[in-house]
């Protein structure tokens, strides 16, 4: 899974935080809602960064595949005859 969505969510969170700081300095009453949106974007970005780790798959050898959409590679055949 590409982490592009996570990076975009983090950037939106930081931009909303900057907007909150500017609005709070000008004493705009609804600036707290922008702060809440910033927090939501930052939490979403953190979850999207963790998504590949939380939903990783293991193959037969015990190796972890971080891309959940990739097919699992087959274990090499052992010559134990």
């Amino acid at each position: 899974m590409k982490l592009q969505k996570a990076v975009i969510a983090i950037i939106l969170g930081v931009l909303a935080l900057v907007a909150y700081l500017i609005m709070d300095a000008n004493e705009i009453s609804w600036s707290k809602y922008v702060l809440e949106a910033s927090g939501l974007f930052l939490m979403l970005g953190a979850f999207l960064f963790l998504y590949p780790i939380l939903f990783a798959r293991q193959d037969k050898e015990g190796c972890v595949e971080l891309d959940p959409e990739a097919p699992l590679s087959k274990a090499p055949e052992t010559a134990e005859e």
Side-chain angles (χ1 to χ4, degrees):
M1 179 177 173
K2 296 181 182 178
L3 297 176
Q4 182 177 8
K5 293 177 185 176
V7 172
I8 291 172
I10 296 290
I11 290 172
L12 287 174
V14 170
L15 289 177
L17 183 62
V18 170
Y20 163 74
L21 292 173
I22 293 171
M23 292 170 70
D24 190 45
N26 292 328
E27 298 178 0
I28 297 175
S29 63
W30 50 274
S31 64
K32 63 182 176 182
Y33 300 113
V34 176
L35 180 62
E36 290 176 4
S38 172
L40 288 174
F41 279 124
L42 290 172
M43 287 188 287
L44 176 67
F47 176 72
L48 289 174
F49 272 122
L50 288 176
Y51 178 80
I53 297 170
L54 293 176
F55 296 103
R57 298 185 300 176
Q58 289 186 357
D59 59 5
K60 293 179 181 177
E61 296 176 350
C63 298
V64 175
E65 179 65 45
L66 288 179
D67 188 4
E69 297 174 0
L72 291 175
S73 60
K74 293 184 179 179
E77 298 296 327
T78 57
E80 296 178 11
E81 296 177 8

